[in-house]
Amino acid sequence: MGSRLVGYGSYLPERVMTNQDFEKIMDTSDEWIVQRTGMRERHFARDDETVVDMATIAAKRALENAKLKIDDIDLVICASTSPELDFPSVAVQVLGKLGATKNIPAYDVRGACTGFIYALHCARAFFTAGMHERILIIGAEKMSRFIDWSDRSTAVLFGDGAGAMIFERSTSSYSGIIDTVVMSDGREFDMLHGSPDHHIIMNGPETYKKAVELMPNAAQYIMDHAGITADNVDWIIPHQANLRIITSGAARLGFPLEKILVTVDKHANTSAASGVLAIAYAFDNGILKHGQLVLYPAFGSGLTWGAALIRV
Ligand code: ACO
């Protein structure tokens, strides 16, 4: 038992915040931000625009893309670190907003920037067990909620947005979510976490070192497990944390730069939404073609890390 991708969708808020906009409000420069992160701009949600709003639009677009209705879905999983409400889940609120008339199971996973991989991991297990027919997976974040405007080292790094993918059960184990691996290490909590007043606390240099070690490790693990090499992969679409992390990780794995999809310049780090937003961007711009093999590694607070191998 396996799965196949039947639809995708994404949403980016209208408001664009450029590096030059940051220059006007804090002691930073476009040059510093581009050199250290590769970021040039990011989207910020309106004050009244929630994670649920963004998740709902991305999910609606994925349903339209798949030519399905919400009642055709039999499980919704949403990966988000930044929901405004502690309960209920974003996933169940999306069902309400989309007008589901059936009792569809729905829940959130919280794996920080690795959240979407954790959601894919759950979906793969359900398909393998034959438990669900069609799963809607959403990654949605309003990271701008967490910005500490007095901390220039974290304020410039994040953006908002949402992406969604719909997978259907299939008899082929060579399509859809082919393989996943997820890991965590709670001993490294101090490196990157939220604070009780909803700010990002991060040791940047230590986080950087761990990211360039653990993302390639997860990617290599999953390629070894699947019995493939970098030559067999069409695209590496990593969590978009930082351009330097992406390129040094890809170099460690022996991936040529032409195979790496980068959206961090346009979206910055949108945590659990970053990989799925990048996949949607690649489809929309004719970069990614159906049938291609995508390797998607991620890393985030926890620490958490992992990778997914998806034939789109
Ligand atoms: N503009 C200008 N100068 C800045 C800025 C800024 N926005 N931020 C920090 N600086 C300064 C610092 O104050 C410091 O100045 P000093 O030398 O006078 O003290 C100097 O730049 C160097 O600071 P470092 O923190 O050592 O800079 P570094 O080269 O490590 O780059 C960065 C910082 C970009 C945050 C890097 O550490 C990094 O990318 N870390 C990983 C971050 C990350 O990806 N986090 C998320 C991953 S997990 C997830 O996605 C949730």
Side-chain angles (χ1 to χ4, degrees), residues 231-311:
D231 290 344
N232 305 110
V233 175
D234 294 299
W235 288 101
I236 179 158
I237 304 188
H239 164 51
Q240 306 283 316
N242 173 320
L243 185 61
R244 287 190 304 154
I245 291 174
I246 292 171
T247 49
S248 62
R252 271 190 57 192
L253 290 165
F255 274 94
L257 287 177
E258 312 85 75
K259 277 191 176 189
I260 307 164
L261 192 91
V262 173
T263 53
V264 73
D265 53 331
K266 292 174 265 297
H267 305 161
N269 181 347
T270 57
S271 190
S274 91
V276 60
L277 270 172
I279 288 171
Y281 173 88
F283 269 133
D284 288 343
N285 288 281
I287 299 166
L288 183 61
K289 308 265 186 304
H290 284 290
Q292 290 190 319
L293 190 61
V294 171
L295 174 58
Y296 169 8
F299 166 85
S301 165
L303 299 179
T304 56
W305 67 101
L309 199 58
I310 309 169
R311 190 170 295 283

Side-chain angles (χ1 to χ4, degrees), residues 28 32 36 113 152-153 192 202 204-205 208 239 241-242 245 269 300:
T28 189
W32 191 96
R36 304 288 174 119
C113 299
R152 64 180 180 169
S153 65
L192 174 58
M202 182 178 75
Y208 183 93
H239 164 51
N242 173 320
I245 291 174
N269 181 347

Side-chain angles (χ1 to χ4, degrees), residues 76-80 83 85-86 88-93 106-110:
V76 182
I77 310 174
C78 180
S80 183
L85 300 183
D86 291 332
S89 66
V90 173
V92 81
Q93 292 181 74
Y107 62 88
D108 292 354
V109 295
R110 295 183 79 178

Side-chain angles (χ1 to χ4, degrees), residues 9-294:
S10 67
Y11 173 74
L12 287 161
E14 218 171 285
R15 181 175 164 213
V16 174
M17 180 90 176
T18 63
N19 293 349
Q20 287 75 14
D21 292 327
F22 274 102
E23 283 178 353
K24 291 177 201 149
I25 54 172
M26 61 177 64
D27 181 17
T28 189
S29 66
D30 176 54
E31 193 193 352
W32 191 96
I33 301 171
V34 172
Q35 202 180 61
R36 304 288 174 119
T37 72
M39 295 168 190
R40 293 180 187 276
E41 56 187 39
R42 65 288 289 145
H43 293 252
F44 278 174
R46 297 185 314 270
D47 288 348
D48 66 345
E49 200 169 27
T50 65
V51 169
V52 172
D53 293 333
M54 293 190 280
T56 303
I57 299 172
K60 191 165 178 281
R61 289 177 179 168
L63 288 166
E64 283 162 5
N65 183 254
K67 298 187 173 53
L68 293 171
K69 297 189 193 56
I70 189 62
D71 284 351
D72 297 323
I73 301 294
D74 66 359
L75 176 67
V76 182
I77 310 174
C78 180
S80 183
T81 315
S82 50
E84 288 80 359
L85 300 183
D86 291 332
F87 56 88
S89 66
V90 173
V92 81
Q93 292 181 74
V94 168
L95 279 176
K97 291 230 176 205
L98 290 177
T101 61
K102 284 168 45 182
N103 301 328
I104 301 164
Y107 62 88
D108 292 354
V109 295
R110 295 183 79 178
C113 299
T114 320
F116 203 82
I117 307 288
Y118 272 84
L120 288 166
H121 188 66
C122 297
R124 180 172 73 89
F126 288 133
F127 284 128
T128 306
M131 287 173 66
H132 287 283
E133 288 296 327
R134 263 189 219 112
I135 305 181
L136 166 63
I137 308 175
I138 306 166
E141 300 282 16
K142 187 171 177 176
M143 296 305 287
S144 59
R145 259 175 25 80
F146 298 138
I147 289 178
D148 175 353
W149 294 95
S150 65
D151 178 9
R152 64 180 180 169
S153 65
T154 55
V156 300
L157 301 179
F158 296 94
D160 302 336
M165 293 170 100
I166 299 171
F167 291 93
E168 194 169 80
R169 197 161 80 187
S170 147
T171 48
S172 167
S173 52
Y174 298 103
S175 64
I177 313 165
I178 293 173
D179 206 355
T180 52
V181 58
V182 285
M183 297 284 175
S184 78
D185 183 353
R187 291 167 300 181
E188 303 283 12
F189 165 88
D190 284 345
M191 206 176 286
L192 174 58
H193 59 90
S195 68
D197 58 347
H198 307 293
H199 286 149
I200 295 158
I201 312 291
M202 182 178 75
N203 179 332
E206 287 305 313
T207 304
Y208 183 93
K209 276 189 233 154
K210 280 289 180 185
V212 296
E213 176 198 339
L214 297 175
M215 278 215 285
N217 284 359
Q220 190 61 56
Y221 177 92
I222 210 164
M223 285 194 292
D224 292 347
H225 196 241
I228 60 168
T229 66
D231 290 344
N232 305 110
V233 175
D234 294 299
W235 288 101
I236 179 158
I237 304 188
H239 164 51
Q240 306 283 316
N242 173 320
L243 185 61
R244 287 190 304 154
I245 291 174
I246 292 171
T247 49
S248 62
R252 271 190 57 192
L253 290 165
F255 274 94
L257 287 177
E258 312 85 75
K259 277 191 176 189
I260 307 164
L261 192 91
V262 173
T263 53
V264 73
D265 53 331
K266 292 174 265 297
H267 305 161
N269 181 347
T270 57
S271 190
S274 91
V276 60
L277 270 172
I279 288 171
Y281 173 88
F283 269 133
D284 288 343
N285 288 281
I287 299 166
L288 183 61
K289 308 265 186 304
H290 284 290
Q292 290 190 319
L293 190 61
V294 171

